[in-house]
Amino acid sequence: MKETVWTAALSAMLLLPIAPQRTAPPVTSFAGTWTGDITRNASARYVGGLGFERESEGFTIAQEAKTLAVTRTHVVVDTVTSGSKTIRWTRTYRLDGAESPNSGFYFQHTVSTAHWDGDSLVVATKDPKGDATTVFSMDGPELKTVTTEAGPNGNPGPTWTLFYKKGG
C-alpha cells in the first residue's frame, strides 16, 4: 500500500507542469543629471525666439524601485528689474500605474500615471494647461523624451522630441 501511494505521488509530481520562474521585467535606469543636447534639439519648440523652453534645459532624475522623481530648475528673469530668481520643482511618479499628484512650474497641480512599456517609461499627465504624454527612453547613451500634448476636441496636439546628455 505504501509503495502504491509513493508511486502515485511521484507520478503526479512528474506529470505536473513545472512552473516557470518569474523574474522581474528589465527596468531601464534613467537616474542621473541630464542636460539638453543643443545639436539634436534644434527642432524643439522655442519661446518668443529666446531659446529652448524649459524642457530642454535639463533635469535630474532619481529612480528607485517604485518611484521616479524628476527635479527641474528654471531661472526666471524679470524684464522690468533685470533681476532673476531660481525656481526648483520635483515631480515624483509612482511606477506601478497609480496616480501621482504633483505641483509643477508655477505650482500647477497635476496628476500623472506612469507605466513601463518595454524599456520605455510612459507618463500621462493631466495638467490645468492641458494633458500631455511623455515617453522616456534611451537612445544610445542619451535620454530621449517624446511629448505629445492634447489638442482640441480630444485630438492629439503637437509632439516634440528632445535628447539629453548625461552629466552636466
Side-chain angles (χ1 to χ4, degrees), residues 98-131:
E99 288 188 348
S100 303
N102 284 292
S103 61
F105 193 61
Y106 289 119
F107 309 103
Q108 305 158 331
H109 294 289
T110 65
V111 176
S112 302
T113 56
H115 70 274
W116 291 101
D117 182 7
D119 290 337
S120 299
L121 181 66
V122 179
V123 179
T125 301
K126 294 189 179 298
D127 186 301
K129 294 186 318 180
D131 300 345

Side-chain angles (χ1 to χ4, degrees), residues 29-42 44-45 52-61 70-73 89 134-147 160-168:
S29 176
F30 301 118
T33 299
W34 300 92
T35 53
D37 182 339
I38 304 272
T39 39
R40 291 188 80 185
N41 293 342
R45 299 186 318 167
F52 297 115
E53 276 195 339
R54 67 182 186 271
E55 288 91 344
S56 66
E57 291 178 349
F59 45 84
T60 299
I61 295 178
V70 179
T71 301
R72 296 182 183 273
T73 303
W89 71 99
T134 300
V135 178
F136 293 80
S137 63
M138 295 304 297
D139 185 328
E142 293 192 329
L143 173 64
K144 174 182 171 182
T145 62
V146 178
T147 302
W160 68 96
T161 302
L162 294 171
F163 297 89
Y164 301 89
K165 294 181 179 185
K166 199 165 198 175

Side-chain angles (χ1 to χ4, degrees), residues 76-98:
V76 179
V77 178
D78 184 335
T79 56
V80 175
T81 65
S82 297
S84 65
K85 69 177 175 179
T86 301
I87 298 173
R88 173 176 281 150
W89 71 99
T90 300
R91 288 188 176 177
T92 301
Y93 307 108
R94 293 178 54 180
L95 301 177
D96 62 1

